[in-house]
Amino acid sequence: MCYAIPGKIIEIKDKKVTVEYFGERKTAHNEYNGLKLGDYIYAQGGFVIKTIPKYEAEAILATWKETFFELQALDLRLSRIDLEKSGVSRRLSLILDKALEEMPLQDSDYLYLLELENKKELELLYKAANFLRHKHHSNSCCVHGIVEISNYCKNSCGYCGISKNNIKINRYRMSLDEIYDAAYEAVEKYGFKALVLQSGEDAGYSVPELAKTIKKIRSELKALIFISFGEVGIPALEEYYKAGARGLLMRFETSNPEIFSTVCGRESLESRISQIKAAYKMGYLIATGGLIGLPNQTSQDLLEDIKLTKELHAEMYSFGPFIPHPETPLKDIASPNPETVLKVIAVSRLIDPKNAKILVTTGFETLFDNARRKGLSSGANSIMLNVTPEKFRKLYSIYPKRAHENESIQEQIDSTLTLLKNLGRAPTDLSVSQT
Ligand code: 5AD
């Protein structure tokens, strides 16, 4: 099973290669020597990950070919939209008309969308976002794996179940061999091409030892690696980049500095943002976003969060709902309405139609049963599956009863592929840019 479609190289220009599969052309950045025209490669997030033998690529393409065009046709049918017959308010119709033409909207328009409540109007907003997702990303859907390597954290964020202040939680820290083995299983057994390694801010690992593990995974398994170890500082970001990490997943949590300092238990949002900016300059792909439903957060704050995500050049938007954890100061605060999460997904798509990969987060799935289907039909095009070894998974309890925490990797893959098939989506992530 694979979570990317192999492409055949049809052009090489310096470090840029163009590949083709089923008539679709995409470009990817190449860091390997010796690639030739006609080679087959996997790419993730716009990076060439590895070459694969011709016979293997042709066999995979042959199995895909049967379904690929059927999936595209289904996706096209599901994403059609007809504003004229929609019977919604004139203002909404005008805003969506402009959005579909990709004309800039005013902040007041986005706020209007974020505050919609009428079911029919919400459905139309989601459809418009889905149309733009289809237009720019066709039916591709990223499926990355995440390994939660340690639940130790030196921070005391008021919402987070693995905060150092939670003395009731059992702590674990995977050994470097266990991290490699989990990555090996995800890549070699299950076919993942992109992996996120995540932990709390854990001083129990040294930077050189994590860098060594990243280097081993990158060089031996040829996967795209995102790091998500919190604010590690610029020298460590540099070291992990040198070791082969190419993505950083770090949410800024909220763009409102007052809310940030109240709930995140640390003074400076600036420091986090400056690390995200520095990582982008180093060449990392950025995955970021915020929490939806923090105390005192307004629609204006959510709009600023989306705009900040774009400003930070995020290639992946990660917005999830706050979910109360009983052992935290925010235990009595309710989660947001699922519609609020969908509105953030849809407005993110309207604000960044071309570049955004928008994630349906596990938090959203925990909050709402139909989250994946609804999220993917409202502008999202990305999913992460939890490939943490099962014995550790429940201990990574940033919030309780996380979706899929009891499902094997295979069960998660099976249900994901069934859903993607029903929606006409293909699990492929060949590039950040289409030629
Ligand atoms: N509810 C939802 N998301 C949470 N996170 C931490 N605690 C919670 C919670 N109670 C998210 C944060 C962090 C990510 C790893 O997990 O946004 O960045």
Side-chain angles (χ1 to χ4, degrees), residues 257-276:
E258 273 163 40
I259 301 180
F260 186 91
S261 57
T262 321
V263 298
C264 296
R266 49 168 88 193
E267 344 52 71
S268 161
L269 173 61
E270 285 279 292
S271 143
R272 189 167 296 203
I273 306 253
S274 67
Q275 292 194 34
I276 298 174

Side-chain angles (χ1 to χ4, degrees), residues 2 4-6 22 42 52 55-65:
C2 79
I5 297 180
F22 307 130
Y42 278 124
I52 56 165
Y55 72 90
E56 204 181 298
E58 284 176 348
I60 294 168
L61 288 169
T63 41
W64 266 110
K65 193 171 178 168

Side-chain angles (χ1 to χ4, degrees), residues 45 47 144 224-227 237 241 246-252 272-289 308-318 352 355-358 384 432:
F47 287 96
H144 294 185
L224 176 70
I225 302 174
F226 281 74
I227 53 166
L237 283 171
Y241 191 88
R246 287 292 174 273
L248 172 72
L249 166 60
M250 180 157 66
R251 285 183 178 163
F252 50 79
R272 189 167 296 203
I273 306 253
S274 67
Q275 292 194 34
I276 298 174
K277 287 183 175 164
Y280 177 74
K281 278 202 187 132
M282 285 175 214
Y284 278 98
L285 297 167
I286 301 299
T288 189
L308 178 58
T309 306
K310 183 173 182 195
E311 210 179 293
L312 292 171
H313 307 277
E315 83 120 20
M316 187 173 283
Y317 285 49
S318 169
D352 194 357
N355 297 311
K357 285 173 183 154
I358 301 175
M384 261 182 215
V432 282

